[in-house]
Amino acid sequence: VNSERGVIGYNGLVYAFARTVAFYGDNGIMPNYVTIKTYSSSAPTGSPLKSKNTIKDLKPYLRATTHCQVGNSQIKSVVNSLTSGLTTDLAKARAIYNYVRDAVSYSFYYDTRYGAVGTLNAKTGNCVDQAHLLIAMYRTAGLAARYVHGTCVFSSGSTYGHVWAQVLIGDTWIVSDATSVRNSFGNVVNWNNHNL
């Protein structure tokens, strides 16, 4: 099925229908929207959303930088709380992603203002600062993570330079863009990712 966000395959339609029925069963009302997860989809290898890892030395993707304060005590405390009892990298990455997406609101400005720790404290940040926080948290949890930059056409119709994170799960770098509550781990819906 064609949609304004791209083609939705059979599995995606079945998933959307199942989520709608489950929501209705739990709440007695229809949902306002359904997010179709694409983690196991056929996103092309080498795309800005999902790409196979070809990097042998991952140490640089686990280190702290000026704005990405890996191992900071505040970040470590939140990461430990979020990942306590989780045994897989995927579960840890999802917990961290969901926290940042839900706890940090998006603010529009250019470049960086806060860095990872400042964004955690301010509970707001643009795409760069949210990426700093995500990557610092992933790396603190022992997950290799990196920055990605592209020019994106957003659902508003505006075109901007944009920064997001990728985290390494198994042998695949997975998109992690927490700037919109409509996005989910491994799935972006607030910008057109088909032309990058």
Short mmCIF file of all heavy atoms in Angstrom, two decimals, residues 115-169:
data_model
loop_
_atom_site.label_atom_id
_atom_site.label_comp_id
_atom_site.label_asym_id
_atom_site.label_seq_id
_atom_site.Cartn_x
_atom_site.Cartn_y
_atom_site.Cartn_z
N GLY A 115 25.25 19.87 24.94
CA GLY A 115 26.00 18.62 25.07
C GLY A 115 25.12 17.59 25.76
O GLY A 115 23.96 17.85 26.10
N ALA A 116 25.66 16.41 25.98
CA ALA A 116 24.87 15.31 26.53
C ALA A 116 24.37 15.60 27.94
O ALA A 116 23.18 15.47 28.23
CB ALA A 116 25.69 14.02 26.51
N VAL A 117 25.27 16.01 28.84
CA VAL A 117 24.87 16.24 30.23
C VAL A 117 23.90 17.41 30.33
O VAL A 117 22.88 17.32 31.03
CB VAL A 117 26.11 16.48 31.12
CG1 VAL A 117 25.70 16.87 32.53
CG2 VAL A 117 26.98 15.24 31.17
N GLY A 118 24.16 18.48 29.61
CA GLY A 118 23.26 19.63 29.63
C GLY A 118 21.88 19.30 29.08
O GLY A 118 20.87 19.78 29.59
N THR A 119 21.83 18.46 28.06
CA THR A 119 20.54 18.05 27.49
C THR A 119 19.79 17.17 28.48
O THR A 119 18.57 17.31 28.65
CB THR A 119 20.77 17.31 26.16
OG1 THR A 119 21.47 18.18 25.28
CG2 THR A 119 19.45 16.89 25.53
N LEU A 120 20.50 16.28 29.16
CA LEU A 120 19.87 15.45 30.19
C LEU A 120 19.26 16.33 31.28
O LEU A 120 18.13 16.11 31.71
CB LEU A 120 20.89 14.49 30.80
CG LEU A 120 20.40 13.57 31.90
CD1 LEU A 120 19.35 12.59 31.37
CD2 LEU A 120 21.56 12.81 32.52
N ASN A 121 19.98 17.35 31.70
CA ASN A 121 19.49 18.25 32.76
C ASN A 121 18.38 19.18 32.28
O ASN A 121 17.40 19.40 33.00
CB ASN A 121 20.65 19.07 33.33
CG ASN A 121 21.62 18.22 34.11
OD1 ASN A 121 21.25 17.20 34.68
ND2 ASN A 121 22.88 18.62 34.13
N ALA A 122 18.52 19.71 31.08
CA ALA A 122 17.54 20.67 30.55
C ALA A 122 16.26 19.98 30.09
O ALA A 122 15.21 20.60 29.99
CB ALA A 122 18.14 21.46 29.40
N LYS A 123 16.35 18.68 29.77
CA LYS A 123 15.22 17.91 29.24
C LYS A 123 14.69 18.50 27.93
O LYS A 123 13.53 18.35 27.59
CB LYS A 123 14.08 17.79 30.25
CG LYS A 123 14.45 17.06 31.53
CD LYS A 123 14.55 15.59 31.30
CE LYS A 123 14.67 14.81 32.59
NZ LYS A 123 16.01 14.33 32.85
N THR A 124 15.57 19.18 27.20
CA THR A 124 15.24 19.72 25.88
C THR A 124 16.51 19.82 25.06
O THR A 124 17.60 19.92 25.62
CB THR A 124 14.54 21.09 25.98
OG1 THR A 124 14.04 21.47 24.70
CG2 THR A 124 15.47 22.16 26.51
N GLY A 125 16.35 19.77 23.73
CA GLY A 125 17.52 19.91 22.87
C GLY A 125 17.14 19.74 21.42
O GLY A 125 16.11 19.14 21.10
N ASN A 126 17.98 20.27 20.55
CA ASN A 126 17.75 20.09 19.11
C ASN A 126 18.27 18.71 18.70
O ASN A 126 18.65 17.89 19.55
CB ASN A 126 18.41 21.22 18.32
CG ASN A 126 19.93 21.15 18.32
OD1 ASN A 126 20.55 20.37 19.04
ND2 ASN A 126 20.55 21.99 17.52
N CYS A 127 18.33 18.46 17.40
CA CYS A 127 18.75 17.15 16.93
C CYS A 127 20.19 16.83 17.33
O CYS A 127 20.50 15.69 17.70
CB CYS A 127 18.57 17.02 15.42
SG CYS A 127 19.51 18.21 14.42
N VAL A 128 21.06 17.84 17.31
CA VAL A 128 22.47 17.61 17.65
C VAL A 128 22.59 17.24 19.12
O VAL A 128 23.25 16.24 19.47
CB VAL A 128 23.32 18.86 17.33
CG1 VAL A 128 24.78 18.63 17.71
CG2 VAL A 128 23.20 19.23 15.86
N ASP A 129 21.95 18.01 19.99
CA ASP A 129 22.07 17.74 21.42
C ASP A 129 21.36 16.43 21.81
O ASP A 129 21.84 15.71 22.69
CB ASP A 129 21.56 18.92 22.23
CG ASP A 129 22.59 20.05 22.30
OD1 ASP A 129 23.80 19.75 22.29
OD2 ASP A 129 22.19 21.22 22.35
N GLN A 130 20.26 16.12 21.16
CA GLN A 130 19.63 14.83 21.44
C GLN A 130 20.52 13.68 20.98
O GLN A 130 20.61 12.65 21.65
CB GLN A 130 18.24 14.76 20.81
CG GLN A 130 17.24 15.62 21.55
CD GLN A 130 15.80 15.32 21.17
OE1 GLN A 130 15.48 14.23 20.72
NE2 GLN A 130 14.94 16.29 21.37
N ALA A 131 21.20 13.86 19.85
CA ALA A 131 22.15 12.83 19.40
C ALA A 131 23.31 12.71 20.38
O ALA A 131 23.75 11.59 20.68
CB ALA A 131 22.66 13.15 18.00
N HIS A 132 23.81 13.84 20.89
CA HIS A 132 24.88 13.78 21.91
C HIS A 132 24.43 12.92 23.09
O HIS A 132 25.18 12.05 23.56
CB HIS A 132 25.21 15.17 22.45
CG HIS A 132 25.99 16.04 21.52
ND1 HIS A 132 27.03 15.60 20.73
CD2 HIS A 132 25.89 17.38 21.27
CE1 HIS A 132 27.54 16.61 20.05
NE2 HIS A 132 26.86 17.71 20.35
N LEU A 133 23.21 13.16 23.59
CA LEU A 133 22.72 12.42 24.75
C LEU A 133 22.53 10.94 24.43
O LEU A 133 22.97 10.08 25.19
CB LEU A 133 21.42 13.03 25.27
CG LEU A 133 20.80 12.34 26.48
CD1 LEU A 133 21.78 12.28 27.65
CD2 LEU A 133 19.51 13.04 26.89
N LEU A 134 21.88 10.64 23.31
CA LEU A 134 21.70 9.23 22.94
C LEU A 134 23.03 8.50 22.84
O LEU A 134 23.19 7.41 23.40
CB LEU A 134 20.97 9.13 21.59
CG LEU A 134 19.47 9.22 21.60
CD1 LEU A 134 18.94 9.37 20.17
CD2 LEU A 134 18.84 8.00 22.27
N ILE A 135 23.97 9.10 22.15
CA ILE A 135 25.26 8.44 21.93
C ILE A 135 26.02 8.29 23.24
O ILE A 135 26.60 7.23 23.52
CB ILE A 135 26.06 9.18 20.85
CG1 ILE A 135 25.36 8.96 19.49
CG2 ILE A 135 27.51 8.71 20.81
CD1 ILE A 135 25.89 9.80 18.36
N ALA A 136 26.00 9.30 24.09
CA ALA A 136 26.67 9.19 25.40
C ALA A 136 26.04 8.07 26.23
O ALA A 136 26.75 7.31 26.89
CB ALA A 136 26.59 10.52 26.14
N MET A 137 24.72 7.97 26.19
CA MET A 137 24.05 6.92 26.96
C MET A 137 24.33 5.54 26.37
O MET A 137 24.61 4.59 27.12
CB MET A 137 22.55 7.21 27.03
CG MET A 137 22.22 8.44 27.87
SD MET A 137 20.46 8.86 27.88
CE MET A 137 19.86 7.62 29.03
N TYR A 138 24.25 5.40 25.06
CA TYR A 138 24.57 4.12 24.43
C TYR A 138 25.99 3.70 24.78
O TYR A 138 26.24 2.55 25.18
CB TYR A 138 24.44 4.20 22.91
CG TYR A 138 23.03 4.27 22.37
CD1 TYR A 138 22.76 5.05 21.26
CD2 TYR A 138 21.98 3.56 22.95
CE1 TYR A 138 21.47 5.13 20.73
CE2 TYR A 138 20.70 3.64 22.44
CZ TYR A 138 20.45 4.41 21.33
OH TYR A 138 19.19 4.49 20.81
N ARG A 139 26.93 4.60 24.60
CA ARG A 139 28.34 4.28 24.87
C ARG A 139 28.56 3.95 26.33
O ARG A 139 29.34 3.06 26.67
CB ARG A 139 29.25 5.42 24.41
CG ARG A 139 29.29 5.57 22.90
CD ARG A 139 30.16 6.74 22.48
NE ARG A 139 30.19 6.88 21.02
CZ ARG A 139 30.87 7.80 20.37
NH1 ARG A 139 31.59 8.70 21.04
NH2 ARG A 139 30.84 7.84 19.05
N THR A 140 27.88 4.66 27.23
CA THR A 140 27.99 4.36 28.66
C THR A 140 27.50 2.94 28.95
O THR A 140 28.03 2.26 29.82
CB THR A 140 27.22 5.41 29.49
OG1 THR A 140 27.82 6.69 29.27
CG2 THR A 140 27.22 5.09 30.96
N ALA A 141 26.51 2.49 28.18
CA ALA A 141 25.98 1.13 28.34
C ALA A 141 26.85 0.09 27.63
O ALA A 141 26.52 -1.09 27.62
CB ALA A 141 24.55 1.07 27.80
N GLY A 142 27.94 0.53 27.01
CA GLY A 142 28.83 -0.38 26.32
C GLY A 142 28.45 -0.67 24.88
O GLY A 142 28.95 -1.61 24.26
N LEU A 143 27.54 0.14 24.31
CA LEU A 143 27.08 -0.05 22.94
C LEU A 143 27.77 0.96 22.03
O LEU A 143 27.73 2.17 22.29
CB LEU A 143 25.56 0.16 22.85
CG LEU A 143 24.70 -0.70 23.77
CD1 LEU A 143 23.24 -0.26 23.70
CD2 LEU A 143 24.83 -2.17 23.41
N ALA A 144 28.39 0.48 20.97
CA ALA A 144 29.02 1.38 20.01
C ALA A 144 27.94 2.23 19.35
O ALA A 144 26.88 1.73 18.99
CB ALA A 144 29.79 0.58 18.96
N ALA A 145 28.21 3.52 19.22
CA ALA A 145 27.22 4.44 18.63
C ALA A 145 27.96 5.52 17.86
O ALA A 145 29.09 5.87 18.18
CB ALA A 145 26.34 5.05 19.71
N ARG A 146 27.28 6.07 16.82
CA ARG A 146 27.90 7.09 15.99
C ARG A 146 26.88 8.12 15.53
O ARG A 146 25.67 7.88 15.58
CB ARG A 146 28.59 6.46 14.79
CG ARG A 146 27.64 5.80 13.80
CD ARG A 146 28.42 5.07 12.71
NE ARG A 146 27.52 4.49 11.72
CZ ARG A 146 27.94 3.74 10.71
NH1 ARG A 146 29.23 3.46 10.57
NH2 ARG A 146 27.08 3.25 9.84
N TYR A 147 27.41 9.26 15.07
CA TYR A 147 26.60 10.34 14.54
C TYR A 147 26.40 10.15 13.04
O TYR A 147 27.29 9.66 12.35
CB TYR A 147 27.29 11.69 14.75
CG TYR A 147 27.48 12.07 16.19
CD1 TYR A 147 28.63 11.68 16.88
CD2 TYR A 147 26.53 12.82 16.87
CE1 TYR A 147 28.83 12.03 18.20
CE2 TYR A 147 26.72 13.18 18.19
CZ TYR A 147 27.87 12.77 18.86
OH TYR A 147 28.06 13.13 20.17
N VAL A 148 25.24 10.57 12.54
CA VAL A 148 24.96 10.59 11.10
C VAL A 148 24.38 11.97 10.79
O VAL A 148 23.61 12.52 11.59
CB VAL A 148 23.96 9.50 10.69
CG1 VAL A 148 23.77 9.48 9.18
CG2 VAL A 148 24.40 8.13 11.19
N HIS A 149 24.76 12.53 9.63
CA HIS A 149 24.25 13.83 9.23
C HIS A 149 23.70 13.73 7.82
O HIS A 149 24.27 13.05 6.98
CB HIS A 149 25.36 14.88 9.28
CG HIS A 149 24.91 16.23 8.88
ND1 HIS A 149 24.94 16.68 7.58
CD2 HIS A 149 24.37 17.24 9.61
CE1 HIS A 149 24.46 17.91 7.53
NE2 HIS A 149 24.11 18.27 8.74
N GLY A 150 22.59 14.41 7.57
CA GLY A 150 22.03 14.46 6.23
C GLY A 150 21.14 15.67 6.07
O GLY A 150 20.83 16.36 7.04
N THR A 151 20.74 15.95 4.86
CA THR A 151 19.76 16.99 4.58
C THR A 151 18.43 16.28 4.42
O THR A 151 18.29 15.41 3.57
CB THR A 151 20.13 17.77 3.31
OG1 THR A 151 21.42 18.36 3.51
CG2 THR A 151 19.10 18.86 3.03
N CYS A 152 17.47 16.65 5.25
CA CYS A 152 16.22 15.91 5.32
C CYS A 152 15.03 16.81 4.99
O CYS A 152 15.00 17.98 5.37
CB CYS A 152 16.03 15.33 6.72
SG CYS A 152 17.36 14.24 7.23
N VAL A 153 14.04 16.23 4.32
CA VAL A 153 12.76 16.89 4.09
C VAL A 153 11.81 16.37 5.17
O VAL A 153 11.48 15.18 5.20
CB VAL A 153 12.21 16.58 2.68
CG1 VAL A 153 10.86 17.26 2.50
CG2 VAL A 153 13.19 17.01 1.61
N PHE A 154 11.39 17.27 6.05
CA PHE A 154 10.55 16.88 7.17
C PHE A 154 9.08 16.85 6.76
O PHE A 154 8.69 17.41 5.74
CB PHE A 154 10.78 17.84 8.35
CG PHE A 154 12.11 17.61 8.99
CD1 PHE A 154 13.26 18.21 8.48
CD2 PHE A 154 12.23 16.78 10.08
CE1 PHE A 154 14.49 17.98 9.05
CE2 PHE A 154 13.46 16.54 10.66
CZ PHE A 154 14.60 17.14 10.14
N SER A 155 8.26 16.20 7.58
CA SER A 155 6.84 16.07 7.27
C SER A 155 6.15 17.42 7.19
O SER A 155 5.09 17.55 6.57
CB SER A 155 6.14 15.14 8.26
OG SER A 155 6.40 15.53 9.58
N SER A 156 6.76 18.46 7.77
CA SER A 156 6.21 19.82 7.67
C SER A 156 6.43 20.41 6.27
O SER A 156 5.85 21.42 5.93
CB SER A 156 6.91 20.72 8.69
OG SER A 156 8.29 20.87 8.35
N GLY A 157 7.31 19.76 5.49
CA GLY A 157 7.67 20.28 4.17
C GLY A 157 8.98 21.05 4.17
O GLY A 157 9.53 21.36 3.12
N SER A 158 9.51 21.37 5.35
CA SER A 158 10.77 22.10 5.47
C SER A 158 11.96 21.17 5.23
O SER A 158 11.91 19.99 5.56
CB SER A 158 10.89 22.73 6.86
OG SER A 158 9.84 23.63 7.09
N THR A 159 13.04 21.75 4.69
CA THR A 159 14.28 21.00 4.46
C THR A 159 15.38 21.61 5.32
O THR A 159 15.61 22.82 5.28
CB THR A 159 14.68 21.07 2.98
OG1 THR A 159 13.61 20.53 2.19
CG2 THR A 159 15.95 20.28 2.72
N TYR A 160 16.04 20.77 6.11
CA TYR A 160 17.11 21.22 7.01
C TYR A 160 18.22 20.19 7.05
O TYR A 160 17.98 19.00 6.81
CB TYR A 160 16.60 21.39 8.45
CG TYR A 160 15.59 22.47 8.66
CD1 TYR A 160 14.25 22.16 8.84
CD2 TYR A 160 15.97 23.80 8.69
CE1 TYR A 160 13.31 23.15 9.04
CE2 TYR A 160 15.03 24.81 8.89
CZ TYR A 160 13.71 24.47 9.07
OH TYR A 160 12.79 25.46 9.26
N GLY A 161 19.39 20.64 7.42
CA GLY A 161 20.44 19.72 7.83
C GLY A 161 19.99 19.07 9.13
O GLY A 161 19.37 19.74 9.97
N HIS A 162 20.27 17.80 9.29
CA HIS A 162 19.76 17.07 10.45
C HIS A 162 20.81 16.09 10.93
O HIS A 162 21.58 15.56 10.13
CB HIS A 162 18.48 16.33 10.05
CG HIS A 162 17.76 15.65 11.17
ND1 HIS A 162 17.39 16.30 12.32
CD2 HIS A 162 17.34 14.37 11.30
CE1 HIS A 162 16.75 15.44 13.11
NE2 HIS A 162 16.72 14.26 12.52
N VAL A 163 20.86 15.87 12.23
CA VAL A 163 21.79 14.93 12.85
C VAL A 163 20.99 13.90 13.64
O VAL A 163 20.03 14.25 14.33
CB VAL A 163 22.78 15.66 13.79
CG1 VAL A 163 23.68 14.67 14.52
CG2 VAL A 163 23.61 16.66 13.00
N TRP A 164 21.39 12.65 13.52
CA TRP A 164 20.78 11.58 14.31
C TRP A 164 21.85 10.58 14.68
O TRP A 164 23.00 10.71 14.28
CB TRP A 164 19.61 10.92 13.57
CG TRP A 164 19.95 10.25 12.28
CD1 TRP A 164 20.22 8.92 12.09
CD2 TRP A 164 20.04 10.86 10.99
NE1 TRP A 164 20.47 8.67 10.76
CE2 TRP A 164 20.37 9.85 10.06
CE3 TRP A 164 19.89 12.16 10.52
CZ2 TRP A 164 20.55 10.10 8.70
CZ3 TRP A 164 20.06 12.42 9.16
CH2 TRP A 164 20.38 11.39 8.28
N ALA A 165 21.50 9.60 15.46
CA ALA A 165 22.45 8.59 15.94
C ALA A 165 22.18 7.25 15.26
O ALA A 165 21.07 7.00 14.79
CB ALA A 165 22.33 8.44 17.45
N GLN A 166 23.21 6.44 15.23
CA GLN A 166 23.08 5.02 14.92
C GLN A 166 23.77 4.27 16.05
O GLN A 166 24.81 4.69 16.54
CB GLN A 166 23.74 4.65 13.60
CG GLN A 166 22.95 5.03 12.38
CD GLN A 166 23.64 4.53 11.11
OE1 GLN A 166 24.86 4.44 11.02
NE2 GLN A 166 22.84 4.22 10.11
N VAL A 167 23.18 3.15 16.44
CA VAL A 167 23.76 2.29 17.47
C VAL A 167 23.97 0.91 16.86
O VAL A 167 23.16 0.45 16.05
CB VAL A 167 22.86 2.25 18.74
CG1 VAL A 167 21.48 1.69 18.43
CG2 VAL A 167 23.53 1.48 19.86
N LEU A 168 25.08 0.29 17.22
CA LEU A 168 25.42 -1.01 16.65
C LEU A 168 24.75 -2.12 17.45
O LEU A 168 25.02 -2.31 18.63
CB LEU A 168 26.94 -1.20 16.65
CG LEU A 168 27.46 -2.45 15.95
CD1 LEU A 168 27.08 -2.45 14.46
CD2 LEU A 168 28.98 -2.55 16.11
N ILE A 169 23.87 -2.85 16.77
CA ILE A 169 23.19 -4.01 17.35
C ILE A 169 23.58 -5.21 16.49
O ILE A 169 23.24 -5.26 15.31
CB ILE A 169 21.66 -3.83 17.38
CG1 ILE A 169 21.27 -2.55 18.12
CG2 ILE A 169 20.99 -5.06 17.98
CD1 ILE A 169 21.65 -2.51 19.58
#
